[in-house]
Amino acid sequence: MSKGLPETRTDAAMSELVPEPRPKPAVPMKPVSINSNLLGYIGIDTIIEQMRKKTMKTGFDFNIMVVGQSGLGKSTLVNTLFKSQVSRKASSWNREEKIPKTVEIKAIGHVIEEGGVKMKLTVIDTPGFGDQINNENCWEPIEKYINEQYEKFLKEEVNIARKKRIPDTRVHCCLYFISPTGHSLRPLDLEFMKHLSKVVNIVPVIAKADTMTLEEKSEFKQRVRKELEVNGIEFYPQKEFDEDLEDKTENDKIRESMPFAVVGSDKEYQVDGKRVLGRKTPWGIIEVENLNHCEFALLRDFVIRTHLQDLKEVTHNIHYETYRAKRLNDNGGLPPVSVDTEESHDSNP
């Protein structure tokens, strides 16, 4: 008995020193697929059709900006992309008109309808860019315009009684036209893309590709890609925004083909009994949509048929969110004061 007592005390002391094990936190269960156990048709798959019908009723916005020197065929290419006269041609200006002394911003809106789907397309042109003797900081008015559209959207978004559908004037895509020199990018090209790639989706294109041979075109494309990589410039689709392996595989192929070497034309010619968009030269017809002649079809499929929605989503979720977060942070976490509110404060004594 006397030998057992000390052991009992020791056990009691040990139980006081050793803490009781904590209960493990509850881990949420992973959703289990029960598709095979459904007793009948529910109709979940109709959500896609519901979304399609709603989109067809309301339509959607797409805003595309074109930047580059005069004479690179910017307006013609945009007209070719959307197969309609959506962009004013520089050739329609009077000869008496002078080149703008500063970069101007001209936005032209159109409603395009195809297969019952309406798209409100806005083409933003930038006449005067790169046309001056001194082009220093000529990208600033363009960056200012892009940020102003983010500011407009933000002010609408933070309104107490905001609109059911906020008008979207944000630039979803910026086509940057590179001159087909065959040598290298100009300092202006690098400066523009370095600054603007942080605020907008830049898609670089080599304009008037028919002025180069196939070998020159291939070498120039490789040189441009290398220069952009060396200067740390990321164009759309950016690698960091690839969502999964499928995205990465698809976008890697696109990135390897960029910048697209393109030719634009809104004139039709008869070739082998078919009407085709093209440019007439002493050597024959350059067919715009023929991949053996240029890469316009790749650009069209990329911007419109496969990545249009993604361009809009990256604009909203990445570029606009970056602007919004910085703006709210600079304002101490408070939403920006609207112009109407500022005016009402100013009018009070």
Side-chain angles (χ1 to χ4, degrees):
M1 293 289 290
S2 60
K3 286 182 180 179
L5 286 172
E7 287 177 9
T8 309
R9 285 174 190 159
T10 307
D11 291 343
M14 287 289 288
S15 63
E16 288 175 7
L17 292 171
V18 178
E20 291 183 10
R22 292 181 183 177
K24 290 182 180 180
V27 178
M29 290 179 64
K30 290 182 180 179
V32 180
S33 175
I34 57 168
N35 187 49
S36 57
N37 298 328
L38 293 180
L39 301 176
Y41 178 68
I42 300 174
I44 300 169
D45 57 349
T46 62
I47 186 66
I48 305 298
E49 181 62 18
Q50 293 172 44
M51 290 165 70
R52 189 186 72 84
K53 282 183 178 177
K54 194 160 189 176
T55 303
M56 287 182 74
K57 278 183 184 177
T58 58
F60 64 96
D61 302 303
F62 187 62
N63 308 317
I64 187 167
M65 175 180 271
V66 289
V67 181
Q69 281 180 294
S70 298
L72 291 180
K74 301 187 297 294
S75 300
T76 303
L77 185 78
V78 174
N79 288 341
T80 313
L81 265 178
F82 297 100
K83 294 195 174 180
S84 53
Q85 298 293 322
V86 293
S87 181
R88 292 176 186 169
K89 290 191 176 184
S91 57
S92 64
W93 294 357
N94 297 324
R95 289 185 178 181
E96 291 77 20
E97 284 188 39
K98 295 179 181 178
I99 293 172
K101 290 185 179 179
T102 56
V103 177
E104 296 178 0
I105 311 289
K106 293 185 176 181
I108 306 162
H110 300 270
V111 175
I112 298 177
E113 187 170 351
E114 183 182 49
V117 179
K118 289 180 182 178
M119 176 172 77
K120 186 187 174 188
L121 173 70
T122 302
V123 179
I124 304 112
D125 198 2
T126 54
F129 177 84
D131 295 331
Q132 314 303 319
I133 295 171
N134 179 8
N135 289 302
E136 188 178 358
N137 298 337
C138 66
W139 46 268
E140 286 182 346
I142 297 171
E143 184 178 33
K144 182 172 179 280
Y145 175 86
I146 291 168
N147 285 331
E148 281 173 352
Q149 309 319 304
Y150 291 147
E151 184 70 12
K152 273 186 191 175
F153 197 89
L154 177 58
K155 284 181 176 176
E156 287 285 353
E157 204 175 43
V158 298
N159 277 342
I160 294 171
R162 62 182 181 183
K163 296 171 184 173
K164 187 179 178 182
R165 192 178 177 205
I166 299 173
D168 191 1
T169 60
R170 297 170 297 180
V171 180
H172 302 124
C173 176
C174 173
L175 291 181
Y176 186 77
F177 287 69
I178 298 166
S179 186
T181 61
H183 302 298
S184 60
L185 291 169
R186 301 171 303 160
L188 175 61
D189 299 328
L190 294 170
E191 193 72 15
F192 176 88
M193 286 190 270
K194 193 176 285 185
H195 282 90
L196 274 291
S197 62
K198 297 169 186 173
V199 296
V200 72
N201 296 317
I202 289 184
V203 176
V205 295
I206 298 169
K208 297 197 169 181
D210 54 325
T211 59
M212 295 185 287
T213 65
L214 294 175
E215 292 77 14
E216 287 171 342
K217 185 168 66 177
S218 178
E219 287 174 12
F220 189 44
K221 280 163 66 82
Q222 288 178 21
R223 200 173 294 126
V224 168
R225 279 198 300 269
K226 187 67 179 173
E227 284 189 71
L228 292 174
E229 186 184 342
V230 167
N231 286 275
I233 298 167
E234 279 212 358
F235 49 82
Y236 179 86
Q238 300 90 332
K239 290 180 183 177
E240 60 184 304
F241 303 148
D242 292 342
E243 292 184 1
D244 50 38
L245 188 60
E246 187 184 350
D247 263 8
K248 185 181 184 304
T249 305
E250 183 185 357
N251 288 338
D252 277 345
K253 287 179 185 176
I254 293 165
R255 285 187 280 261
E256 286 166 12
S257 303
M258 293 175 79
F260 298 118
V262 298
V263 176
S265 174
D266 45 15
K267 291 183 180 177
E268 285 190 336
Y269 295 93
Q270 194 87 12
V271 177
D272 297 331
K274 292 189 295 184
R275 302 290 294 176
V276 297
L277 287 170
R279 291 189 67 229
K280 194 172 184 179
T281 70
W283 304 277
I285 306 291
I286 297 167
E287 297 174 42
V288 168
E289 296 177 284
N290 187 335
L291 282 173
N292 293 320
H293 294 189
C294 80
E295 295 171 337
F296 168 82
L298 293 178
L299 174 67
R300 178 205 57 208
D301 290 354
F302 170 58
V303 171
I304 300 173
R305 300 184 183 182
T306 63
H307 282 67
L308 190 147
Q309 182 58 30
D310 190 64
L311 281 161
K312 288 167 64 72
E313 286 177 8
V314 171
T315 299
H316 182 75
N317 298 330
I318 307 296
H319 298 305
Y320 170 67
E321 274 303 312
T322 302
Y323 177 87
R324 178 181 166 279
K326 184 179 182 303
R327 188 78 172 80
L328 294 178
N329 188 53
D330 291 346
N331 210 31
L334 298 171
V337 179
S338 68
V339 176
D340 295 339
T341 309
E342 285 175 351
E343 286 175 354
S344 63
H345 281 310
D346 292 340
S347 62
N348 289 334

